[in-house]
Amino acid sequence: MENNKSLIVGNWKMNKTIAATKSFVNEFLSLIGSKKKLSDIVICPPITMYQFIKELPLKFGAQDCSGLSANEGAFTGDISAMMLKDIGVDYVIIGHSERRKNYGESGAFLKRKISNAHENGLIVIFCIGENLEQRNDGSYFDVLSKQLEESLPESVNLNNTIIAYEPVWAIGTGNSATNNQIEEIHSFLASKFKNKILYGGSVNSKNAKAILAIKNVFGLLIGGTSLEAKEFNEIINIRG
Ligand code: PGA
Protein backbone atom coordinates (compact mmCIF):
# COMPACT_ATOMS: atom_id res chain seq x y z
CA MET A 1 0.00 0.00 0.00
CA GLU A 2 1.29 3.46 -0.81
CA ASN A 3 1.83 5.64 2.21
CA ASN A 4 2.22 9.09 0.82
CA LYS A 5 -0.85 9.45 -1.40
CA SER A 6 -4.57 9.43 -0.88
CA LEU A 7 -6.40 6.29 -1.83
CA ILE A 8 -9.43 6.73 -4.08
CA VAL A 9 -11.79 3.76 -4.24
CA GLY A 10 -14.73 3.49 -6.62
CA ASN A 11 -17.58 1.20 -5.61
CA TRP A 12 -19.69 0.45 -8.65
CA LYS A 13 -22.26 -1.54 -6.68
CA MET A 14 -24.60 -3.54 -8.98
CA ASN A 15 -24.14 -1.38 -12.07
CA LYS A 16 -22.92 -1.68 -15.66
CA THR A 17 -23.23 -4.20 -18.47
CA ILE A 18 -20.28 -5.35 -20.57
CA ALA A 19 -20.98 -2.58 -23.11
CA ALA A 20 -21.15 0.08 -20.40
CA THR A 21 -17.97 -1.21 -18.78
CA LYS A 22 -16.10 -1.16 -22.10
CA SER A 23 -17.20 2.37 -22.80
CA PHE A 24 -16.05 3.45 -19.29
CA VAL A 25 -12.67 1.82 -19.97
CA ASN A 26 -12.24 3.60 -23.32
CA GLU A 27 -13.27 6.98 -21.97
CA PHE A 28 -11.15 6.63 -18.85
CA LEU A 29 -8.08 5.57 -20.86
CA SER A 30 -8.39 8.61 -23.08
CA LEU A 31 -8.80 10.86 -20.03
CA ILE A 32 -5.80 9.58 -18.09
CA GLY A 33 -3.63 9.82 -21.19
CA SER A 34 -0.03 8.99 -20.44
CA LYS A 35 -0.40 8.47 -16.70
CA LYS A 36 1.30 5.15 -16.20
CA LYS A 37 0.28 3.28 -13.13
CA LEU A 38 -2.34 4.61 -10.77
CA SER A 39 -1.66 2.16 -7.99
CA ASP A 40 -3.55 4.16 -5.38
CA ILE A 41 -6.76 4.18 -7.40
CA VAL A 42 -9.04 1.19 -6.91
CA ILE A 43 -12.23 0.26 -8.74
CA CYS A 44 -14.56 -2.36 -7.28
CA PRO A 45 -16.81 -3.39 -10.20
CA PRO A 46 -19.37 -6.18 -10.10
CA ILE A 47 -16.98 -9.12 -10.18
CA THR A 48 -18.40 -10.31 -13.53
CA MET A 49 -17.01 -7.11 -15.07
CA TYR A 50 -13.48 -7.53 -13.78
CA GLN A 51 -12.30 -9.22 -16.98
CA PHE A 52 -13.49 -6.23 -19.03
CA ILE A 53 -11.86 -3.57 -16.90
CA LYS A 54 -8.62 -5.14 -15.74
CA GLU A 55 -6.60 -3.58 -18.55
CA LEU A 56 -6.87 -0.19 -16.82
CA PRO A 57 -3.62 0.71 -15.01
CA LEU A 58 -5.32 0.69 -11.60
CA LYS A 59 -5.91 -1.68 -8.72
CA PHE A 60 -9.15 -3.62 -8.35
CA GLY A 61 -11.35 -4.84 -5.59
CA ALA A 62 -14.46 -6.91 -4.99
CA GLN A 63 -17.53 -5.67 -3.15
CA ASP A 64 -17.83 -8.66 -0.84
CA CYS A 65 -16.47 -12.15 -0.15
CA SER A 66 -17.79 -15.29 1.49
CA GLY A 67 -17.86 -15.48 5.27
CA LEU A 68 -18.51 -19.21 5.16
CA SER A 69 -15.24 -20.39 3.68
CA ALA A 70 -11.96 -18.72 2.78
CA ASN A 71 -11.43 -21.20 -0.02
CA GLU A 72 -13.98 -23.64 -1.48
CA GLY A 73 -17.09 -25.51 -0.41
CA ALA A 74 -20.80 -26.15 -0.87
CA PHE A 75 -21.90 -22.53 -0.50
CA THR A 76 -24.18 -21.73 -3.42
CA GLY A 77 -23.84 -18.20 -4.69
CA ASP A 78 -20.79 -17.31 -2.63
CA ILE A 79 -17.44 -16.22 -4.02
CA SER A 80 -14.48 -16.84 -1.74
CA ALA A 81 -11.53 -14.63 -0.94
CA MET A 82 -9.30 -17.28 -2.50
CA MET A 83 -11.24 -17.02 -5.76
CA LEU A 84 -10.95 -13.25 -5.75
CA LYS A 85 -7.22 -13.46 -5.20
CA ASP A 86 -7.07 -16.06 -7.96
CA ILE A 87 -8.49 -13.69 -10.59
CA GLY A 88 -6.14 -10.91 -9.52
CA VAL A 89 -8.00 -8.46 -7.32
CA ASP A 90 -6.15 -6.92 -4.38
CA TYR A 91 -8.92 -5.35 -2.29
CA VAL A 92 -12.30 -6.36 -0.93
CA ILE A 93 -15.01 -4.16 0.58
CA ILE A 94 -16.54 -5.79 3.65
CA GLY A 95 -19.43 -4.59 5.80
CA HIS A 96 -20.93 -2.06 3.42
CA SER A 97 -24.14 -0.72 4.98
CA GLU A 98 -26.19 -1.95 2.02
CA ARG A 99 -25.09 -5.51 2.80
CA ARG A 100 -25.50 -5.10 6.54
CA LYS A 101 -29.05 -3.87 5.98
CA ASN A 102 -30.22 -6.02 3.07
CA TYR A 103 -28.68 -9.30 4.25
CA GLY A 104 -28.62 -8.75 8.00
CA GLU A 105 -24.87 -9.32 8.12
CA SER A 106 -23.84 -9.32 11.78
CA GLY A 107 -20.61 -8.04 13.27
CA ALA A 108 -19.53 -11.62 14.03
CA PHE A 109 -20.18 -12.75 10.47
CA LEU A 110 -18.26 -9.79 9.08
CA LYS A 111 -15.34 -10.78 11.27
CA ARG A 112 -15.24 -14.14 9.50
CA LYS A 113 -15.26 -12.40 6.12
CA ILE A 114 -12.36 -10.20 7.15
CA SER A 115 -10.40 -13.21 8.42
CA ASN A 116 -11.05 -15.06 5.18
CA ALA A 117 -9.85 -12.08 3.16
CA HIS A 118 -6.69 -11.74 5.25
CA GLU A 119 -5.99 -15.45 4.96
CA ASN A 120 -5.81 -14.93 1.20
CA GLY A 121 -3.76 -11.77 1.22
CA LEU A 122 -6.53 -9.35 0.26
CA ILE A 123 -6.60 -5.82 1.64
CA VAL A 124 -9.89 -5.24 3.42
CA ILE A 125 -11.84 -1.99 3.18
CA PHE A 126 -14.06 -2.34 6.23
CA CYS A 127 -17.10 -0.05 6.21
CA ILE A 128 -18.63 1.37 9.35
CA GLY A 129 -21.23 4.07 9.80
CA GLU A 130 -24.19 5.19 11.87
CA ASN A 131 -27.74 5.61 10.60
CA LEU A 132 -29.74 8.81 10.86
CA GLU A 133 -31.42 7.85 14.11
CA GLN A 134 -28.06 7.09 15.73
CA ARG A 135 -26.67 10.36 14.41
CA ASN A 136 -29.59 12.28 15.85
CA ASP A 137 -29.66 10.58 19.25
CA GLY A 138 -25.92 11.10 19.68
CA SER A 139 -25.06 7.40 20.06
CA TYR A 140 -22.83 7.37 16.98
CA PHE A 141 -19.50 7.16 18.79
CA ASP A 142 -20.68 4.02 20.58
CA VAL A 143 -22.13 2.59 17.38
CA LEU A 144 -18.87 3.03 15.47
CA SER A 145 -16.75 1.66 18.32
CA LYS A 146 -18.98 -1.40 18.56
CA GLN A 147 -18.83 -2.02 14.81
CA LEU A 148 -15.05 -2.05 15.00
CA GLU A 149 -14.79 -4.09 18.18
CA GLU A 150 -17.21 -6.75 16.94
CA SER A 151 -15.63 -7.33 13.57
CA LEU A 152 -11.89 -6.75 13.58
CA PRO A 153 -10.07 -10.07 13.94
CA GLU A 154 -6.58 -10.51 15.38
CA SER A 155 -5.17 -10.72 11.86
CA VAL A 156 -5.73 -6.98 11.33
CA ASN A 157 -2.58 -4.97 10.76
CA LEU A 158 -1.77 -1.57 9.32
CA ASN A 159 -1.21 -2.95 5.83
CA ASN A 160 -4.10 -5.35 5.40
CA THR A 161 -7.04 -3.28 6.66
CA ILE A 162 -8.44 0.14 5.81
CA ILE A 163 -11.45 1.57 7.62
CA ALA A 164 -14.11 3.42 5.61
CA TYR A 165 -16.35 5.77 7.56
CA GLU A 166 -19.62 5.93 5.65
CA PRO A 167 -22.53 7.50 7.50
CA VAL A 168 -25.56 5.60 6.21
CA TRP A 169 -27.58 8.81 5.89
CA ALA A 170 -24.97 10.26 3.52
CA ILE A 171 -24.79 7.33 1.11
CA GLY A 172 -26.44 7.97 -2.23
CA THR A 173 -28.39 10.94 -0.89
CA GLY A 174 -26.38 13.78 -2.40
CA ASN A 175 -25.86 15.05 1.15
CA SER A 176 -22.36 14.35 2.28
CA ALA A 177 -21.51 14.71 5.96
CA THR A 178 -20.22 18.21 6.72
CA ASN A 179 -16.50 18.77 6.97
CA ASN A 180 -16.84 19.29 10.72
CA GLN A 181 -18.73 16.04 11.14
CA ILE A 182 -16.13 14.18 9.09
CA GLU A 183 -13.28 15.73 11.05
CA GLU A 184 -14.90 14.83 14.37
CA ILE A 185 -15.38 11.18 13.46
CA HIS A 186 -12.03 10.72 11.75
CA SER A 187 -10.13 12.16 14.67
CA PHE A 188 -12.12 9.93 17.04
CA LEU A 189 -11.31 6.86 14.93
CA ALA A 190 -7.68 7.87 14.50
CA SER A 191 -7.33 8.08 18.28
CA LYS A 192 -8.40 4.42 18.53
CA PHE A 193 -6.86 2.90 15.40
CA LYS A 194 -3.72 3.62 13.47
CA ASN A 195 -5.17 2.17 10.25
CA LYS A 196 -5.90 4.39 7.29
CA ILE A 197 -9.40 5.83 7.24
CA LEU A 198 -11.42 6.69 4.13
CA TYR A 199 -14.56 8.82 4.02
CA GLY A 200 -17.53 7.76 1.89
CA GLY A 201 -21.03 9.14 1.32
CA SER A 202 -22.05 11.44 -1.55
CA VAL A 203 -18.52 12.39 -2.51
CA ASN A 204 -18.32 14.15 -5.88
CA SER A 205 -15.87 16.23 -7.87
CA LYS A 206 -17.08 19.38 -6.10
CA ASN A 207 -16.66 18.34 -2.47
CA ALA A 208 -13.75 15.91 -2.86
CA LYS A 209 -10.98 18.45 -2.50
CA ALA A 210 -12.22 19.86 0.81
CA ILE A 211 -12.89 16.40 2.22
CA LEU A 212 -9.44 15.14 1.25
CA ALA A 213 -7.92 18.12 3.06
CA ILE A 214 -9.52 17.14 6.39
CA LYS A 215 -7.11 15.80 8.99
CA ASN A 216 -7.09 12.01 9.28
CA VAL A 217 -8.93 11.52 5.98
CA PHE A 218 -6.62 9.26 4.03
CA GLY A 219 -8.85 8.86 0.99
CA LEU A 220 -12.35 8.43 -0.38
CA LEU A 221 -14.82 5.63 -1.04
CA ILE A 222 -17.02 6.74 -3.91
CA GLY A 223 -20.23 5.18 -5.16
CA GLY A 224 -22.35 7.01 -7.75
CA THR A 225 -19.64 9.39 -8.91
CA SER A 226 -17.27 6.51 -9.70
CA LEU A 227 -19.60 5.30 -12.44
CA GLU A 228 -18.80 8.27 -14.66
CA ALA A 229 -15.28 8.18 -16.12
CA LYS A 230 -15.08 11.97 -16.41
CA GLU A 231 -16.18 12.70 -12.83
CA PHE A 232 -14.05 9.94 -11.39
CA ASN A 233 -11.02 11.20 -13.27
CA GLU A 234 -11.65 14.73 -12.00
CA ILE A 235 -11.42 13.46 -8.46
CA ILE A 236 -8.18 11.66 -9.30
CA ASN A 237 -6.80 14.91 -10.67
CA ILE A 238 -7.89 16.88 -7.61
CA ARG A 239 -5.93 14.49 -5.48
CA GLY A 240 -2.87 15.11 -7.65
P1 PGA B 1 -22.25 7.25 -2.82
O1 PGA B 1 -21.94 5.78 -2.23
O2 PGA B 1 -20.90 7.86 -3.17
O3 PGA B 1 -23.10 6.99 -4.02
O4 PGA B 1 -22.93 8.00 -1.75
C1 PGA B 1 -20.85 5.56 -1.39
C2 PGA B 1 -20.81 4.11 -1.00
O5 PGA B 1 -21.88 3.52 -0.78
O6 PGA B 1 -19.72 3.51 -0.90
Side-chain angles (χ1 to χ4, degrees), residues 117-192:
H118 287 163
E119 200 178 311
N120 285 283
L122 294 173
I123 300 171
V124 170
I125 300 169
F126 181 57
C127 300
I128 58 171
E130 80 283 1
N131 63 29
L132 191 57
E133 194 186 331
Q134 294 158 340
R135 165 59 56 176
N136 289 337
D137 70 16
S139 63
Y140 51 94
F141 287 119
D142 292 341
V143 169
L144 297 171
S145 299
K146 187 157 175 271
Q147 287 175 342
L148 289 167
E149 277 150 26
E150 278 180 349
S151 299
L152 293 184
E154 297 222 324
S155 53
V156 166
N157 65 40
L158 296 184
N159 291 316
N160 69 11
T161 308
I162 296 165
I163 309 289
Y165 170 55
E166 295 207 306
V168 178
W169 46 272
I171 295 175
T173 59
N175 295 316
S176 144
T178 65
N179 294 348
N180 285 345
Q181 288 170 326
I182 297 171
E183 182 161 7
E184 181 188 42
I185 298 297
H186 279 243
S187 77
F188 168 70
L189 296 173
S191 71
K192 294 172 74 96

Side-chain angles (χ1 to χ4, degrees), residues 36-95:
K36 285 187 194 74
K37 191 105 184 98
L38 296 164
S39 57
D40 45 5
I41 308 297
V42 182
I43 290 184
C44 304
I47 212 60
T48 50
M49 289 301 126
Y50 174 65
Q51 60 181 308
F52 303 104
I53 194 176
K54 66 181 182 186
E55 68 179 86
L56 288 179
L58 318 172
K59 296 282 184 188
F60 296 94
Q63 299 171 18
D64 186 40
C65 72
S66 176
L68 300 174
S69 169
N71 304 303
E72 291 177 307
F75 303 112
T76 302
D78 275 21
I79 296 176
S80 73
M82 180 201 80
M83 291 167 169
L84 296 174
K85 191 70 187 175
D86 196 35
I87 61 167
V89 306
D90 291 309
Y91 291 81
V92 59
I93 297 172
I94 293 178

Side-chain angles (χ1 to χ4, degrees), residues 179-212:
N179 294 348
N180 285 345
Q181 288 170 326
I182 297 171
E183 182 161 7
E184 181 188 42
I185 298 297
H186 279 243
S187 77
F188 168 70
L189 296 173
S191 71
K192 294 172 74 96
F193 293 92
K194 298 287 158 261
N195 298 62
K196 291 165 179 163
I197 310 162
L198 311 181
Y199 169 77
S202 294
V203 175
N204 56 45
S205 57
K206 295 189 179 59
N207 61 19
K209 187 171 184 171
I211 296 174
L212 278 173

